[in-house]
Amino acid sequence: MSSALTLAKIRVRWNEVLDLVESQDRVIWIAYFDARLESFDNGRLTLDFRDSNKLATGHDFQEARLRHRSVLQSAFLDVFGESVVIVEK
C-alpha cells in the first residue's frame, strides 16, 4: 500500500469512484452516494452513513452495501490504483 494516498487525496477524487460505480450499477451507487469519508488508515477506508438516517423516511441500504461492496472496492482500485478495505461506521 502506497503511503502517498491520504484521506484528503481520496476526498478530492471520491466522485470519480462514485461515477464509476454508477456507470456499472445505479442501484449500488444509490447505496453508497451519501457516504461520508471518515478516515483512511493502513488501507482501510471508513465510511460514515449516519447522515442517511436524517431523512424522515430514512434509507438504510446497509444490507445492499454488504452484498455489493466489491463493486465500490473495484472502482476505488480503478481510480487510485490501490486496493482498499471498506469499513462502515
Coordinates of all heavy atoms in Angstrom, one line a residue:
M1 N 0.9 -1.2 0.0 CA 0.0 0.0 0.0 C 0.9 1.2 0.0 O 1.8 1.4 0.8 CB -0.9 0.0 1.2 CG -1.8 1.1 1.4 SD -3.2 1.2 0.2 CE -3.9 -0.4 0.2
S2 N 0.6 2.1 -0.9 CA 1.4 3.3 -1.0 C 1.1 4.3 0.2 O -0.1 4.5 0.5 CB 1.1 4.0 -2.3 OG 1.7 5.3 -2.3
S3 N 2.1 4.8 0.8 CA 1.9 5.8 1.9 C 1.5 7.1 1.3 O 1.1 8.0 2.1 CB 3.2 5.9 2.7 OG 4.3 6.3 1.9
A4 N 1.6 7.3 0.0 CA 1.2 8.6 -0.6 C -0.3 8.9 -0.6 O -0.7 10.0 -0.7 CB 1.8 8.7 -2.0
L5 N -1.1 7.8 -0.5 CA -2.5 8.0 -0.6 C -3.0 8.4 0.8 O -2.7 7.8 1.8 CB -3.2 6.7 -1.0 CG -4.7 6.8 -1.3 CD1 -4.9 7.8 -2.4 CD2 -5.2 5.4 -1.7
T6 N -3.8 9.6 0.8 CA -4.3 10.1 2.1 C -5.8 10.3 2.0 O -6.3 10.3 0.9 CB -3.6 11.5 2.4 OG1 -4.0 12.4 1.4 CG2 -2.1 11.4 2.5
L7 N -6.4 10.5 3.1 CA -7.8 10.8 3.1 C -8.1 12.1 2.3 O -9.1 12.1 1.5 CB -8.4 11.0 4.5 CG -9.9 11.2 4.7 CD1 -10.6 10.0 4.1 CD2 -10.2 11.4 6.1
A8 N -7.3 13.1 2.4 CA -7.5 14.3 1.6 C -7.5 14.0 0.1 O -8.3 14.5 -0.7 CB -6.5 15.3 2.0
K9 N -6.6 13.2 -0.4 CA -6.5 12.8 -1.8 C -7.7 12.0 -2.2 O -8.2 12.2 -3.3 CB -5.2 12.1 -2.1 CG -4.0 13.0 -2.0 CD -2.7 12.2 -2.2 CE -1.5 13.1 -2.0 NZ -0.2 12.3 -2.2
I10 N -8.1 11.1 -1.3 CA -9.3 10.3 -1.7 C -10.5 11.2 -1.8 O -11.3 11.1 -2.7 CB -9.5 9.2 -0.6 CG1 -8.4 8.2 -0.6 CG2 -10.9 8.5 -0.8 CD1 -8.4 7.3 0.5
R11 N -10.7 12.2 -0.9 CA -11.8 13.1 -0.9 C -11.9 13.9 -2.2 O -13.0 14.1 -2.8 CB -11.8 14.1 0.2 CG -12.3 13.4 1.5 CD -12.4 14.4 2.7 NE -13.0 13.8 3.8 CZ -12.5 13.9 5.0 NH1 -11.5 14.7 5.3 NH2 -13.1 13.3 6.0
V12 N -10.7 14.3 -2.7 CA -10.7 15.1 -4.0 C -11.2 14.3 -5.1 O -11.9 14.8 -6.0 CB -9.2 15.6 -4.2 CG1 -9.1 16.1 -5.6 CG2 -8.8 16.6 -3.2
R13 N -11.0 13.0 -5.1 CA -11.3 12.1 -6.3 C -12.5 11.2 -6.0 O -12.8 10.3 -6.8 CB -10.1 11.4 -6.8 CG -9.0 12.3 -7.2 CD -7.8 11.6 -7.9 NE -8.3 11.0 -9.1 CZ -7.5 10.0 -9.7 NH1 -6.4 9.6 -9.2 NH2 -8.0 9.5 -10.9
W14 N -13.1 11.3 -4.9 CA -14.2 10.4 -4.5 C -15.3 10.3 -5.5 O -15.9 9.3 -5.8 CB -14.7 10.7 -3.1 CG -15.7 9.8 -2.6 CD1 -17.0 10.0 -2.3 CD2 -15.5 8.4 -2.3 NE1 -17.7 8.9 -1.8 CE2 -16.8 7.9 -1.8 CE3 -14.4 7.5 -2.3 CZ2 -16.9 6.5 -1.4 CZ3 -14.6 6.2 -2.0 CH2 -15.8 5.7 -1.5
N15 N -15.7 11.5 -6.0 CA -16.7 11.5 -7.0 C -16.4 10.6 -8.3 O -17.3 10.1 -8.9 CB -17.1 12.9 -7.4 CG -18.0 13.5 -6.4 OD1 -18.6 12.9 -5.5 ND2 -18.1 14.8 -6.4
E16 N -15.1 10.5 -8.6 CA -14.7 9.7 -9.7 C -15.0 8.2 -9.4 O -15.5 7.5 -10.2 CB -13.2 9.8 -10.0 CG -12.8 11.1 -10.5 CD -11.3 11.2 -10.7 OE1 -10.7 10.3 -11.4 OE2 -10.7 12.2 -10.2
V17 N -14.8 7.8 -8.1 CA -15.1 6.5 -7.7 C -16.6 6.2 -7.8 O -17.1 5.2 -8.4 CB -14.6 6.2 -6.3 CG1 -15.1 4.8 -5.8 CG2 -13.1 6.3 -6.2
L18 N -17.4 7.2 -7.3 CA -18.9 7.0 -7.3 C -19.4 7.1 -8.8 O -20.3 6.3 -9.1 CB -19.5 8.1 -6.5 CG -19.3 8.1 -5.0 CD1 -19.9 9.2 -4.3 CD2 -19.8 6.7 -4.4
D19 N -18.8 7.9 -9.6 CA -19.2 7.9 -11.0 C -19.0 6.6 -11.7 O -19.8 6.1 -12.5 CB -18.5 9.0 -11.8 CG -19.0 10.4 -11.4 OD1 -20.0 10.5 -10.7 OD2 -18.3 11.4 -11.7
L20 N -17.9 6.0 -11.4 CA -17.6 4.6 -12.0 C -18.5 3.6 -11.4 O -19.0 2.8 -12.2 CB -16.1 4.3 -11.6 CG -15.5 3.0 -12.3 CD1 -15.7 3.1 -13.8 CD2 -14.1 2.9 -11.9
V21 N -18.9 3.6 -10.2 CA -19.9 2.7 -9.6 C -21.2 2.9 -10.3 O -21.9 2.0 -10.7 CB -20.0 2.9 -8.1 CG1 -21.2 2.2 -7.5 CG2 -18.7 2.4 -7.4
E22 N -21.6 4.2 -10.5 CA -22.9 4.5 -11.1 C -22.9 4.0 -12.5 O -24.0 3.5 -13.0 CB -23.2 6.0 -11.1 CG -24.5 6.3 -11.6 CD -24.8 7.8 -11.6 OE1 -23.9 8.6 -11.6 OE2 -26.0 8.1 -11.6
S23 N -21.8 4.1 -13.2 CA -21.8 3.6 -14.6 C -22.0 2.1 -14.7 O -22.4 1.6 -15.8 CB -20.5 4.0 -15.3 OG -19.4 3.3 -14.9
Q24 N -21.6 1.4 -13.6 CA -21.8 -0.1 -13.6 C -23.1 -0.5 -13.1 O -23.7 -1.5 -13.6 CB -20.6 -0.7 -12.8 CG -19.3 -0.4 -13.4 CD -18.2 -0.9 -12.5 OE1 -18.3 -1.9 -11.7 NE2 -17.0 -0.2 -12.5
D25 N -23.6 0.2 -12.1 CA -24.9 -0.2 -11.4 C -25.4 0.9 -10.6 O -24.9 1.2 -9.5 CB -24.6 -1.4 -10.5 CG -25.9 -2.1 -10.1 OD1 -26.8 -1.4 -9.6 OD2 -26.0 -3.3 -10.2
R26 N -26.5 1.5 -11.1 CA -27.1 2.7 -10.4 C -27.6 2.3 -9.0 O -27.5 3.1 -8.1 CB -28.2 3.3 -11.2 CG -28.7 4.6 -10.6 CD -29.4 5.5 -11.6 NE -30.1 6.6 -11.0 CZ -29.5 7.7 -10.7 NH1 -28.2 7.9 -10.8 NH2 -30.2 8.7 -10.1
V27 N -28.1 1.1 -8.8 CA -28.6 0.7 -7.5 C -27.5 0.7 -6.5 O -27.7 1.2 -5.3 CB -29.4 -0.6 -7.6 CG1 -29.7 -1.1 -6.2 CG2 -30.6 -0.5 -8.5
I28 N -26.4 0.2 -6.9 CA -25.2 0.2 -5.9 C -24.8 1.6 -5.6 O -24.5 1.9 -4.5 CB -24.1 -0.7 -6.5 CG1 -24.5 -2.2 -6.6 CG2 -22.9 -0.6 -5.6 CD1 -23.6 -3.1 -7.3
W29 N -24.8 2.4 -6.6 CA -24.4 3.8 -6.4 C -25.4 4.5 -5.4 O -24.9 5.2 -4.5 CB -24.5 4.6 -7.8 CG -24.3 6.1 -7.6 CD1 -23.1 6.7 -7.5 CD2 -25.3 7.1 -7.5 NE1 -23.4 8.1 -7.4 CE2 -24.7 8.3 -7.4 CE3 -26.7 7.0 -7.5 CZ2 -25.4 9.5 -7.2 CZ3 -27.5 8.2 -7.4 CH2 -26.8 9.4 -7.3
I30 N -26.7 4.2 -5.5 CA -27.6 4.8 -4.5 C -27.3 4.3 -3.1 O -27.4 5.1 -2.2 CB -29.1 4.3 -4.9 CG1 -29.5 5.1 -6.2 CG2 -30.0 4.6 -3.8 CD1 -30.8 4.6 -6.8
A31 N -26.8 3.1 -3.0 CA -26.5 2.6 -1.6 C -25.2 3.3 -1.0 O -25.1 3.4 0.2 CB -26.2 1.1 -1.7
Y32 N -24.4 3.9 -1.9 CA -23.1 4.5 -1.4 C -23.0 6.0 -1.6 O -22.1 6.6 -1.0 CB -21.9 3.9 -2.1 CG -21.6 2.5 -1.6 CD1 -21.9 1.4 -2.3 CD2 -20.9 2.4 -0.4 CE1 -21.6 0.1 -1.8 CE2 -20.6 1.1 0.2 CZ -20.9 0.0 -0.6 OH -20.6 -1.2 0.0
F33 N -23.9 6.6 -2.3 CA -23.7 8.0 -2.7 C -23.7 9.0 -1.5 O -23.1 10.0 -1.6 CB -24.8 8.5 -3.7 CG -26.1 8.9 -3.0 CD1 -26.4 10.2 -2.8 CD2 -27.0 7.9 -2.7 CE1 -27.6 10.6 -2.2 CE2 -28.2 8.3 -2.1 CZ -28.5 9.7 -1.9
D34 N -24.3 8.6 -0.4 CA -24.3 9.6 0.7 C -23.3 9.2 1.8 O -23.4 9.8 2.9 CB -25.7 9.7 1.3 CG -26.2 8.4 1.9 OD1 -25.6 7.3 1.7 OD2 -27.3 8.4 2.6
A35 N -22.4 8.4 1.5 CA -21.3 8.1 2.5 C -20.4 9.3 2.7 O -20.1 10.0 1.8 CB -20.4 6.9 1.9
R36 N -20.0 9.4 4.0 CA -19.1 10.4 4.4 C -17.7 9.7 4.6 O -17.7 8.7 5.3 CB -19.5 11.2 5.7 CG -20.8 11.9 5.6 CD -20.8 13.0 4.6 NE -22.1 13.7 4.5 CZ -23.0 13.5 3.5 NH1 -22.7 12.7 2.5 NH2 -24.1 14.1 3.4
L37 N -16.7 10.2 4.0 CA -15.4 9.6 4.2 C -14.9 10.1 5.5 O -14.6 11.2 5.8 CB -14.4 10.1 3.1 CG -14.9 9.8 1.6 CD1 -13.9 10.4 0.6 CD2 -15.1 8.3 1.4
E38 N -14.8 9.1 6.4 CA -14.4 9.5 7.8 C -12.9 9.3 8.0 O -12.3 10.2 8.6 CB -15.1 8.6 8.8 CG -14.7 8.9 10.2 CD -15.5 8.2 11.2 OE1 -16.7 8.6 11.5 OE2 -15.0 7.2 11.7
S39 N -12.3 8.2 7.6 CA -10.9 8.0 7.9 C -10.3 7.1 6.9 O -11.0 6.3 6.3 CB -10.6 7.5 9.3 OG -11.2 6.2 9.5
F40 N -8.9 7.1 6.7 CA -8.2 6.2 5.9 C -6.9 5.9 6.6 O -6.1 6.8 6.9 CB -7.9 6.8 4.5 CG -7.1 5.9 3.6 CD1 -7.7 4.8 3.1 CD2 -5.8 6.2 3.3 CE1 -7.0 3.9 2.3 CE2 -5.1 5.4 2.5 CZ -5.6 4.2 2.0
D41 N -6.7 4.6 7.0 CA -5.6 4.2 7.7 C -5.2 2.8 7.4 O -6.1 1.9 7.5 CB -5.9 4.4 9.2 CG -4.6 4.2 10.1 OD1 -3.5 4.6 9.7 OD2 -4.7 3.5 11.1
N42 N -4.0 2.5 7.1 CA -3.5 1.2 6.8 C -4.4 0.5 5.7 O -4.7 -0.7 5.9 CB -3.4 0.3 8.1 CG -2.3 0.8 9.0 OD1 -1.3 1.3 8.5 ND2 -2.6 0.8 10.3
G43 N -4.8 1.2 4.7 CA -5.5 0.5 3.6 C -7.0 0.3 4.0 O -7.7 -0.4 3.2
R44 N -7.5 0.9 5.1 CA -8.9 0.8 5.5 C -9.6 2.1 5.4 O -9.2 3.1 6.1 CB -9.0 0.2 6.9 CG -8.4 -1.2 7.0 CD -8.4 -1.6 8.5 NE -9.7 -1.6 9.2 CZ -10.5 -2.6 9.2 NH1 -10.2 -3.8 8.7 NH2 -11.7 -2.5 9.8
L45 N -10.6 2.2 4.5 CA -11.3 3.4 4.3 C -12.6 3.3 5.1 O -13.4 2.4 4.8 CB -11.6 3.6 2.8 CG -12.5 4.9 2.5 CD1 -11.7 6.1 2.9 CD2 -12.7 4.9 1.0
T46 N -12.8 4.1 6.1 CA -14.0 4.1 6.9 C -15.1 5.1 6.3 O -14.8 6.2 6.2 CB -13.7 4.4 8.4 OG1 -12.8 3.5 8.8 CG2 -15.0 4.3 9.2
L47 N -16.3 4.5 6.1 CA -17.4 5.3 5.6 C -18.4 5.5 6.7 O -18.7 4.5 7.4 CB -18.0 4.6 4.4 CG -17.1 4.3 3.2 CD1 -17.9 3.6 2.1 CD2 -16.4 5.5 2.7
D48 N -18.9 6.7 6.8 CA -19.9 7.0 7.8 C -21.2 7.3 7.2 O -21.3 8.1 6.3 CB -19.4 8.2 8.6 CG -20.4 8.6 9.8 OD1 -21.5 8.0 9.9 OD2 -20.0 9.5 10.6
F49 N -22.3 6.6 7.6 CA -23.6 6.7 7.0 C -24.6 7.3 7.9 O -25.8 7.2 7.7 CB -24.1 5.3 6.5 CG -23.3 4.8 5.3 CD1 -22.2 4.0 5.4 CD2 -23.7 5.2 4.0 CE1 -21.5 3.5 4.3 CE2 -23.0 4.8 2.9 CZ -21.9 3.9 3.1
R50 N -24.2 7.9 9.0 CA -25.1 8.5 9.9 C -26.1 9.5 9.3 O -27.2 9.6 9.7 CB -24.4 9.1 11.1 CG -23.8 8.0 12.0 CD -23.1 8.7 13.2 NE -21.9 9.3 12.7 CZ -21.0 9.9 13.5 NH1 -21.2 10.0 14.7 NH2 -19.9 10.4 13.0
D51 N -25.6 10.3 8.3 CA -26.5 11.3 7.7 C -27.6 10.6 6.9 O -28.7 11.2 6.7 CB -25.7 12.1 6.7 CG -24.9 13.2 7.5 OD1 -25.1 13.4 8.7 OD2 -24.0 13.8 6.8
S52 N -27.5 9.4 6.5 CA -28.5 8.7 5.7 C -29.8 8.5 6.6 O -30.9 8.3 6.0 CB -28.1 7.4 5.2 OG -27.8 6.5 6.2
N53 N -29.7 8.6 7.9 CA -30.8 8.4 8.7 C -31.5 9.7 9.1 O -32.5 9.7 9.9 CB -30.4 7.6 10.0 CG -29.9 6.2 9.7 OD1 -30.5 5.6 8.9 ND2 -28.9 5.8 10.4
K54 N -31.0 10.8 8.6 CA -31.6 12.1 9.0 C -32.9 12.4 8.3 O -33.6 13.3 8.7 CB -30.6 13.2 8.8 CG -30.3 13.5 7.3 CD -29.3 14.6 7.2 CE -28.9 14.8 5.7 NZ -27.8 15.7 5.6
L55 N -33.2 11.7 7.2 CA -34.4 12.0 6.4 C -35.6 11.3 7.2 O -35.4 10.3 7.9 CB -34.3 11.4 5.0 CG -33.1 11.9 4.1 CD1 -33.1 11.2 2.8 CD2 -33.3 13.4 4.0
A56 N -36.7 11.9 6.9 CA -37.9 11.4 7.6 C -38.1 9.9 7.4 O -38.5 9.2 8.3 CB -39.1 12.2 7.2
T57 N -38.0 9.5 6.2 CA -38.2 8.0 5.9 C -36.9 7.2 6.0 O -37.0 6.0 6.0 CB -38.8 7.9 4.4 OG1 -37.8 8.5 3.5 CG2 -40.1 8.6 4.3
G58 N -35.8 7.9 6.0 CA -34.5 7.2 6.1 C -34.3 6.4 4.8 O -35.2 6.2 4.0
H59 N -33.1 5.9 4.7 CA -32.8 5.0 3.5 C -31.6 4.2 3.9 O -30.5 4.5 3.6 CB -32.7 5.7 2.2 CG -31.7 6.9 2.2 ND1 -31.9 8.1 2.7 CD2 -30.4 6.9 1.8 CE1 -30.9 8.9 2.6 NE2 -29.9 8.2 2.0
D60 N -31.9 3.1 4.7 CA -30.8 2.3 5.2 C -30.5 1.2 4.2 O -31.3 0.2 4.0 CB -31.2 1.7 6.5 CG -30.1 0.8 7.1 OD1 -29.0 0.8 6.5 OD2 -30.3 0.2 8.2
F61 N -29.4 1.3 3.5 CA -29.0 0.3 2.5 C -27.9 -0.6 2.9 O -27.1 -1.1 2.1 CB -28.7 1.0 1.2 CG -29.8 1.8 0.5 CD1 -29.8 3.2 0.5 CD2 -30.9 1.1 0.0 CE1 -30.8 3.9 0.0 CE2 -31.9 1.8 -0.6 CZ -31.9 3.2 -0.6
Q62 N -27.7 -0.7 4.2 CA -26.6 -1.5 4.8 C -26.5 -2.9 4.2 O -25.4 -3.3 3.8 CB -26.6 -1.5 6.3 CG -25.4 -2.2 6.9 CD -25.4 -2.2 8.4 OE1 -26.4 -1.8 9.0 NE2 -24.3 -2.5 9.0
E63 N -27.6 -3.6 4.1 CA -27.6 -5.0 3.6 C -27.1 -5.0 2.1 O -26.3 -5.8 1.7 CB -28.9 -5.6 3.7 CG -28.9 -7.1 3.3 CD -30.3 -7.7 3.5 OE1 -31.0 -7.4 4.5 OE2 -30.6 -8.5 2.6
A64 N -27.6 -4.0 1.4 CA -27.2 -4.0 -0.1 C -25.8 -3.6 -0.2 O -25.0 -4.2 -1.0 CB -28.1 -2.9 -0.8
R65 N -25.3 -2.7 0.7 CA -23.9 -2.3 0.6 C -23.0 -3.5 0.9 O -21.9 -3.7 0.3 CB -23.6 -1.2 1.6 CG -24.2 0.1 1.1 CD -23.7 1.3 1.9 NE -23.9 1.2 3.3 CZ -24.9 1.7 4.0 NH1 -25.9 2.4 3.3 NH2 -25.1 1.6 5.3
L66 N -23.4 -4.3 1.9 CA -22.6 -5.5 2.2 C -22.5 -6.5 1.0 O -21.4 -7.0 0.8 CB -23.2 -6.2 3.4 CG -23.0 -5.5 4.8 CD1 -23.8 -6.3 5.8 CD2 -21.6 -5.4 5.2
R67 N -23.6 -6.7 0.3 CA -23.6 -7.6 -0.8 C -22.8 -7.0 -2.0 O -22.3 -7.8 -2.8 CB -25.0 -7.8 -1.3 CG -25.8 -8.7 -0.4 CD -27.1 -9.2 -1.0 NE -27.8 -8.2 -1.7 CZ -28.8 -7.4 -1.2 NH1 -29.2 -7.6 0.0 NH2 -29.4 -6.5 -2.0
H68 N -22.7 -5.7 -2.1 CA -22.1 -5.1 -3.3 C -20.8 -4.3 -3.1 O -20.4 -3.6 -3.9 CB -23.1 -4.2 -4.0 CG -24.4 -5.0 -4.4 ND1 -24.4 -6.0 -5.4 CD2 -25.6 -4.9 -4.0 CE1 -25.6 -6.5 -5.5 NE2 -26.4 -5.9 -4.7
R69 N -20.3 -4.5 -1.9 CA -19.1 -3.7 -1.5 C -17.9 -3.9 -2.5 O -17.1 -3.0 -2.8 CB -18.6 -4.1 -0.1 CG -17.5 -3.2 0.4 CD -17.2 -3.5 1.8 NE -18.4 -2.9 2.6 CZ -18.7 -3.3 3.8 NH1 -18.0 -4.2 4.4 NH2 -19.7 -2.7 4.4
S70 N -17.9 -5.1 -3.1 CA -16.8 -5.4 -4.1 C -16.8 -4.4 -5.3 O -15.7 -4.1 -5.8 CB -16.8 -6.8 -4.5 OG -18.0 -7.1 -5.2
V71 N -18.0 -4.0 -5.7 CA -18.1 -3.0 -6.8 C -17.4 -1.7 -6.4 O -16.6 -1.1 -7.2 CB -19.5 -2.8 -7.2 CG1 -19.6 -1.7 -8.3 CG2 -20.1 -4.1 -7.7
L72 N -17.7 -1.2 -5.2 CA -17.0 0.0 -4.8 C -15.5 -0.2 -4.6 O -14.7 0.7 -5.0 CB -17.6 0.4 -3.4 CG -17.1 1.8 -2.9 CD1 -17.5 2.9 -3.8 CD2 -17.7 2.0 -1.5
Q73 N -15.1 -1.3 -4.1 CA -13.7 -1.5 -3.9 C -13.0 -1.6 -5.3 O -11.9 -1.1 -5.5 CB -13.4 -2.8 -3.1 CG -13.8 -2.6 -1.7 CD -13.8 -3.9 -0.9 OE1 -14.3 -4.9 -1.3 NE2 -13.3 -3.8 0.3
S74 N -13.6 -2.2 -6.3 CA -13.1 -2.3 -7.6 C -13.0 -1.0 -8.3 O -12.0 -0.6 -8.9 CB -14.0 -3.3 -8.5 OG -13.5 -3.3 -9.8
A75 N -14.0 -0.1 -8.1 CA -14.0 1.2 -8.6 C -12.8 2.0 -8.0 O -12.1 2.8 -8.7 CB -15.3 1.9 -8.4
F76 N -12.6 1.9 -6.7 CA -11.5 2.5 -6.0 C -10.2 2.1 -6.6 O -9.3 2.9 -6.8 CB -11.6 2.2 -4.5 CG -10.6 3.0 -3.7 CD1 -11.1 4.1 -3.0 CD2 -9.3 2.6 -3.5 CE1 -10.2 4.9 -2.2 CE2 -8.4 3.4 -2.7 CZ -8.9 4.5 -2.1
L77 N -10.0 0.8 -6.8 CA -8.8 0.3 -7.4 C -8.6 0.9 -8.8 O -7.5 1.3 -9.2 CB -8.8 -1.2 -7.5 CG -7.6 -1.9 -8.2 CD1 -6.4 -1.6 -7.4 CD2 -7.9 -3.4 -8.2
D78 N -9.6 1.0 -9.6 CA -9.5 1.6 -10.9 C -9.1 3.1 -10.9 O -8.3 3.5 -11.7 CB -10.8 1.5 -11.7 CG -11.2 0.1 -12.1 OD1 -10.3 -0.8 -12.0 OD2 -12.3 -0.2 -12.5
V79 N -9.6 3.8 -9.9 CA -9.3 5.3 -9.9 C -8.0 5.5 -9.2 O -7.2 6.3 -9.7 CB -10.4 6.0 -9.1 CG1 -10.0 7.4 -8.8 CG2 -11.8 6.0 -9.8
F80 N -7.7 4.8 -8.1 CA -6.5 5.1 -7.4 C -5.3 4.1 -7.6 O -4.2 4.4 -7.2 CB -6.8 5.1 -5.9 CG -7.6 6.3 -5.5 CD1 -8.9 6.2 -5.2 CD2 -7.0 7.6 -5.3 CE1 -9.7 7.3 -4.9 CE2 -7.8 8.7 -5.0 CZ -9.1 8.5 -4.7
G81 N -5.6 3.0 -8.2 CA -4.5 2.0 -8.5 C -4.1 1.3 -7.2 O -3.0 0.7 -7.2
E82 N -4.9 1.3 -6.2 CA -4.6 0.7 -4.9 C -5.9 0.0 -4.4 O -7.0 0.5 -4.6 CB -4.1 1.7 -3.9 CG -2.8 2.3 -4.3 CD -2.3 3.2 -3.1 OE1 -2.5 2.9 -2.0 OE2 -1.5 4.1 -3.4
S83 N -5.6 -1.2 -3.8 CA -6.7 -1.9 -3.1 C -7.0 -1.2 -1.8 O -6.1 -0.7 -1.1 CB -6.4 -3.3 -2.9 OG -6.2 -4.0 -4.1
V84 N -8.3 -1.3 -1.4 CA -8.7 -0.8 -0.1 C -9.7 -1.7 0.5 O -10.5 -2.4 -0.2 CB -9.2 0.7 -0.3 CG1 -10.5 0.7 -1.0 CG2 -9.4 1.4 1.0
V85 N -9.8 -1.7 1.8 CA -10.8 -2.4 2.5 C -11.8 -1.3 3.0 O -11.5 -0.3 3.6 CB -10.3 -3.1 3.8 CG1 -11.4 -3.7 4.6 CG2 -9.3 -4.2 3.3
I86 N -13.1 -1.5 2.6 CA -14.2 -0.6 3.0 C -14.8 -1.0 4.3 O -15.2 -2.2 4.5 CB -15.3 -0.6 1.9 CG1 -14.7 -0.2 0.6 CG2 -16.4 0.4 2.4 CD1 -14.2 1.2 0.4
V87 N -14.8 -0.1 5.3 CA -15.3 -0.3 6.6 C -16.5 0.7 6.8 O -16.3 1.9 6.5 CB -14.3 -0.1 7.7 CG1 -14.8 -0.4 9.1 CG2 -13.1 -1.0 7.4
E88 N -17.6 0.2 7.4 CA -18.7 1.1 7.7 C -18.8 1.5 9.2 O -18.5 0.6 10.0 CB -20.0 0.5 7.3 CG -20.2 0.5 5.8 CD -21.6 0.0 5.5 OE1 -22.6 0.3 6.3 OE2 -21.8 -0.6 4.4
K89 N -19.1 2.7 9.4 CA -19.3 3.1 10.8 C -20.8 3.3 11.0 O -21.5 3.7 10.2 CB -18.6 4.4 11.0 CG -18.8 5.0 12.4 CD -18.0 6.2 12.6 CE -18.2 6.7 14.1 NZ -17.5 7.9 14.3

